[in-house]
Amino acid sequence: MKSTKEVLKSFELTVERYLEELTKLSMEKLHRKLNEEDWSIGQMYVHLIQSAFMHLHNVEQCLAGRESTLNPTKEKTEQGKIVFNLEQFPAVRIKVPASPIYTPQPPESMEHLVDGLHNVVERMRNTESVLLQAPVSNKILHPAFGALNAQEWFMLIDMHYRHHFLQLDRLKSLAFEE
């Protein structure tokens, strides 16, 4: 498994690519959707930012160790074991039905996305420096991957961002069709 410093470096490079991709997009292309079920590129960016903060909250709960949701005796699911052994999600499209709770709102502005990505990187840097203090027995349940400790939640953020490159590439090909 990668060290937390290696995960952070990978994440920083991943975010650099997302920031570079933003320079090629207009707000119109960020909001363009193929249909009501698909997300726009902008919604995908909002999802990445929001999910990172949610995952970082779980890292903090593992670090604090006083949350009633800690699950020291629980383990990863089979799917979780596979994903963490590979250190990446499978290269398949994961489709979640549209819902008011899960579907992200379109971005307010380009600056909102850029600032959000920079804020996530800053929080990741601050978090990485204290990650080794977290007992590996402090775990919080992920709905698909089972019980994850602070280091695993941290790694999940990088894996999640890298996985969404598949969606970005697919949506870009649709957004640039005229």
Side-chain angles (χ1 to χ4, degrees):
M1 191 151 79
K2 290 181 186 174
S3 73
T4 57
K5 288 194 183 312
E6 290 170 320
V7 170
L8 178 60
K9 183 64 179 165
S10 172
F11 182 73
E12 289 170 336
L13 293 171
T14 297
V15 170
E16 283 178 25
R17 179 173 166 197
Y18 278 112
L19 289 166
E20 174 63 28
E21 292 290 341
L22 275 178
T23 67
K24 304 171 191 171
L25 298 167
S26 64
M27 283 305 292
E28 188 263 324
K29 286 183 178 168
L30 280 173
H31 285 237
R32 189 177 295 171
K33 292 173 67 167
L34 182 62
N35 58 53
E36 281 307 306
E37 290 296 310
D38 277 335
W39 291 353
S40 67
I41 294 173
Q43 286 175 292
M44 185 203 71
Y45 271 85
V46 170
H47 164 73
L48 287 172
I49 294 164
Q50 290 174 341
S51 66
F53 284 116
M54 182 189 72
H55 294 356
L56 284 164
H57 174 75
N58 289 338
V59 170
E60 291 164 1
Q61 295 307 310
C62 288
L63 283 163
R66 57 182 180 268
E67 187 69 24
S68 61
T69 55
L70 290 181
N71 296 279
T73 61
K74 301 277 184 179
E75 298 295 327
K76 283 187 210 71
T77 62
E78 284 307 310
Q79 184 181 12
K81 290 174 187 173
I82 292 167
V83 165
F84 279 90
N85 283 338
L86 294 173
E87 296 182 357
Q88 65 183 12
F89 289 12
V92 296
R93 185 173 175 192
I94 301 168
K95 190 154 172 60
V96 178
S99 76
I101 296 169
Y102 188 75
T103 303
Q105 293 297 308
E108 298 168 18
S109 66
M110 190 72 71
E111 294 77 23
H112 178 78
L113 297 177
V114 171
D115 290 347
L117 289 169
H118 285 299
N119 289 337
V120 171
V121 170
E122 188 61 31
R123 283 274 304 278
M124 291 284 284
R125 288 176 180 154
N126 293 339
T127 301
E128 191 279 330
S129 65
V130 297
L131 262 182
L132 296 179
Q133 298 170 17
V136 293
S137 62
N138 288 0
K139 302 174 191 174
I140 294 183
L141 293 179
H142 181 280
F145 301 144
L148 306 179
N149 64 36
Q151 293 88 351
E152 291 164 334
W153 279 105
F154 187 80
M155 179 184 262
L156 183 63
I157 297 167
D158 179 51
M159 291 190 297
H160 184 223
Y161 271 58
R162 286 185 286 118
H163 176 72
H164 272 280
F165 283 140
L166 295 171
Q167 183 181 18
L168 178 61
D169 292 341
R170 183 179 62 80
L171 292 175
K172 269 185 8 190
S173 69
L174 299 171
F176 291 126
E177 282 181 357
E178 295 301 329

